[in-house]
Amino acid sequence: MDGKVALVTGGASGIGRGAALKFAQEGARVGLLDFNPDRLEAAAAEVDAAGPGAMALQADVRDPAALPHLRIRGGSIVITTSVNGSRMYSNVGASVYAASRAARLALGKMLALELARDRIRVNVICPGSVATNIWDNTWVLDREGRRVASEFPVVVVPLSGDKPATAEQIANVVLFLVPDMASHVTGEVVVIDGAQSLLKG
Amino acid sequence: MLLEGKVALITGAASGIGRATALRFAREGARVGLLDFNPDTLGEAASEVDAAGPGAMPLLADVRDPAAMNAAVEQLVERFGRLDILFANAGIAGLWAPVGDIRPDEFDQLFSINVRGTFLSVQAALPALRVQGGSIVITASVTGNAMFSSVGASVYASTKAAQLAFGKMLAFELAHERIRVNIVCPGNVSTNILDHISYRNMEKLRYPVRHSGDVPLTDGAPATPDQIASAVLFLVSDEASYVTGEALVVDGAQSMFRG
Ligand SMILES: NC(=O)c1ccc[n+]([C@@H]2O[C@H](COP(=O)([O-])OP(=O)(O)OC[C@H]3O[C@@H](n4cnc5c(N)ncnc54)[C@H](O)[C@@H]3O)[C@@H](O)[C@H]2O)c1
Ligand SMILES: NC(=O)c1ccc[n+]([C@@H]2O[C@H](COP(=O)([O-])OP(=O)(O)OC[C@H]3O[C@@H](n4cnc5c(N)ncnc54)[C@H](O)[C@@H]3O)[C@@H](O)[C@H]2O)c1
């Protein structure tokens, strides 16, 4: 990724932080965008030390005015969605999360065609379970008296004997999709789940 | 008759697919609540459906408004005594434009009618559906689920994908309460949906938006709303008593022709 500049949203933690680090190690300058100021500084410093340059951008992705305005002239976009809403529908209680994930998948595919003539590739990744800080921002309402649908076996990831992916394992796939290695790949959805969604739908 | 003794709630029932489905349900013996936010067309649709079956009731409400949705379901249950079927169908095509030219409020409008509206319809109907079990059908689309080539419709497509995932999640979540949830994915249908669509800067998109003759089954002709209603009727009826979590594509093979 020599000479490239990348923007990573959610760059302060988990998958985003892992991808930012990979990009830097491959020679990209990286903007890490996040709304969590504490983690952001540490992540940017780590990424800066690993490559040719990093920049902390504190912003909320919901606020269009706060986001840097990019005019991408050719390039590559990767959108993180999930196996939830694309291959797995059994996480009861996550109906709205799954809907939001499916929306992102469709957005990515629509934009792959819309932006193809501008030489912008758009791909989508669907991680299964990944060891990140995502549970810090996930609320589970355990409503009293609510009947539970079924008891599932504990989440089983066949490929790793139950271990979730590391953020780095996800970042490796992002790294393949972003630079020229994947120069003819666009509108594609890559599932990275150690066969989790083949076992549990 | 497939729906004798059943009570159905249909959103977006004053026009197009919703109205055709209300009529079919009535002819199959169901009493139908027709919910829509357009007062001009709702009254006439409800009288037509009332004349075709055992009873119909207009429910003027906006699917974005939780209080109005709860009140509508209450009125319907008070009048007809129960609720067996929800057809969450209200939707708009919104604005079609290059992704860079869509304002955040325009994005929000599409999501609030198509996705939040579906969510609120389900929430409002659920207590009544739980009483004896029932069936939910959600209108999504081939766009966003099987077809991605309607350039300019990136936000609309995203709402339709969200609706499908939401429906599949609920199929599992509600299965043990004997509530089936299915999704219908129409291709082109001749309804009034295009009257309310707006386009901006479409000339900037360097792909043709419309393909011609791209529905193999009909040499390009769109479906009638009644052809979609047939699929919905099947899904809500006991003919489909073991079908849940299914996304039924009704598109004359259009999504085989066009990606
Ligand atoms: N961890 C998993 O098991 C898993 C599985 C599938 C998909 N994902 C997806 O991966 C993506 C990254 O999640 P993660 O697991 O690395 O979680 P994480 O919580 O470790 O990291 C997410 C980062 O995004 C930031 N963020 C959240 N909301 C923001 C906002 N409004 N504006 C700016 N920054 C914001 C947070 O501050 C955090 O630093 C998410 O889209 C998530 O849905 C995660
Ligand atoms: N027509 C097509 O080609 C086509 C294809 C695929 C999917 N669909 C979907 O079918 C569904 C029905 O559309 P249609 O084609 O029959 O369109 P239509 O415009 O003929 O009917 C839609 C009805 O929904 C109502 N409605 C819209 N917003 C509402 C709101 N906020 N609250 C209450 N009612 C509201 C409208 O007043 C209208 O009566 C939509 O979800 C649409 O996305 C249509």
Side-chain angles (χ1 to χ4, degrees):
Chain A
M1 291 185 69
D2 282 338
K4 306 274 196 219
V5 178
L7 174 67
V8 180
T9 70
S13 175
I15 295 170
R17 185 173 181 158
L21 201 56
K22 277 271 160 203
F23 291 172
Q25 287 162 351
E26 293 299 326
R29 284 162 293 168
V30 185
L32 293 88
L33 188 149
D34 209 290
F35 72 169
N36 180 329
D38 307 333
R39 284 183 181 148
L40 181 59
E41 286 311 322
E46 185 192 20
V47 173
D48 192 41
M55 188 173 172
L57 301 161
Q58 196 193 329
D60 189 319
V61 293
R62 287 167 295 191
D63 178 1
L67 294 176
H69 273 257
L70 301 178
R71 272 254 148 259
I72 302 184
R73 295 252 163 269
S76 168
I77 297 174
V78 173
I79 296 176
T80 305
T81 161
S82 171
V83 288
N84 285 293
S86 59
R87 295 242 300 228
M88 262 173 66
Y89 299 94
S90 55
N91 282 322
V92 172
S95 54
V96 175
Y97 176 69
S100 79
R101 297 289 109 184
R104 286 168 84 136
L105 192 147
L107 185 68
K109 286 200 180 200
M110 294 298 292
L111 296 185
L113 181 59
E114 181 175 328
L115 303 177
R117 288 283 174 84
D118 296 326
R119 304 287 171 262
I120 299 173
R121 297 183 296 104
V122 185
N123 292 290
V124 177
I125 58 166
C126 297
S129 303
V130 191
T132 69
N133 296 313
I134 198 165
W135 288 102
D136 296 358
N137 293 313
T138 307
W139 296 268
V140 179
L141 280 184
D142 213 352
R143 281 178 293 167
E144 286 293 316
R146 199 186 169 288
R147 276 186 292 165
V148 176
S150 314
E151 280 310 322
F152 261 111
V154 272
V155 177
V156 179
V157 186
L159 194 66
S160 58
D162 254 5
K163 275 213 300 284
T166 61
E168 192 189 3
Q169 286 177 305
I170 309 302
N172 283 333
V173 179
V174 180
L175 186 64
F176 161 70
L177 289 171
V178 166
D180 294 339
M181 248 193 297
S183 58
H184 209 58
V185 181
T186 191
E188 181 54 6
V189 179
V190 183
V191 174
I192 317 154
D193 74 342
Q196 184 182 0
S197 64
L198 297 179
L199 184 64
K200 183 180 161 192
Chain B
M1 288 203 285
L2 287 170
L3 303 180
E4 199 142 29
K6 306 273 192 204
V7 177
L9 172 65
I10 300 181
T11 72
S15 173
I17 295 168
R19 182 169 178 162
T21 305
L23 207 53
R24 287 295 290 278
F25 282 8
R27 290 189 183 132
E28 294 295 334
R31 285 162 295 167
V32 184
L34 292 92
L35 188 147
D36 208 287
F37 74 167
N38 185 336
D40 304 333
T41 46
L42 180 60
E44 192 203 307
S47 339
E48 187 190 19
V49 173
D50 193 40
M57 184 176 182
L59 299 162
L60 188 63
D62 188 319
V63 292
R64 287 168 290 190
D65 177 353
M69 293 305 291
N70 291 335
V73 171
E74 262 170 43
Q75 283 172 45
L76 182 67
V77 172
E78 199 177 292
R79 165 102 181 261
F80 293 141
R82 56 192 283 149
L83 182 64
D84 304 275
I85 295 163
L86 168 67
F87 181 31
N89 163 77
I92 58 165
L95 170 74
W96 291 29
V99 65
D101 299 346
I102 299 169
R103 292 195 315 264
D105 61 298
E106 292 163 339
F107 175 96
D108 288 343
Q109 194 209 17
L110 258 167
F111 267 80
S112 92
I113 294 181
N114 293 1
V115 183
R116 181 184 148 104
T118 300
F119 167 73
L120 292 177
S121 302
V122 167
Q123 277 199 336
L126 214 43
L129 291 175
R130 283 193 164 122
V131 174
Q132 72 286 309
S135 168
I136 298 174
V137 173
I138 296 172
T139 308
S141 174
V142 286
T143 298
N145 293 307
M147 232 169 72
F148 299 90
S149 57
S150 296
V151 174
S154 53
V155 178
Y156 175 73
S158 304
T159 67
K160 293 288 139 184
Q163 287 179 289
L164 183 137
F166 184 64
K168 287 198 176 196
M169 294 296 293
L170 295 189
F172 184 76
E173 183 174 333
L174 303 177
H176 69 110
E177 305 192 73
R178 304 292 167 260
I179 298 173
R180 296 184 298 106
V181 186
N182 292 289
I183 301 102
V184 64
C185 294
N188 290 347
V189 191
S190 56
T191 68
N192 297 317
I193 198 163
L194 296 177
D195 299 353
H196 308 288
I197 195 169
S198 47
Y199 299 98
R200 178 185 307 143
N201 301 341
M202 290 294 278
E203 66 289 346
K204 282 209 250 167
L205 295 170
R206 286 169 277 179
Y207 299 91
V209 180
R210 294 184 193 296
H211 303 233
S212 59
D214 67 351
V215 184
L217 194 67
T218 58
D219 297 324
T224 62
D226 194 53
Q227 289 177 300
I228 310 303
S230 296
V232 179
L233 178 61
F234 163 69
L235 288 172
V236 302
S237 75
D238 288 342
E239 301 292 302
S241 57
Y242 209 65
V243 181
T244 193
E246 179 56 11
L248 187 59
V249 171
V250 187
D251 75 341
Q254 184 184 34
S255 57
M256 308 286 111
F257 175 95
R258 235 177 105 167

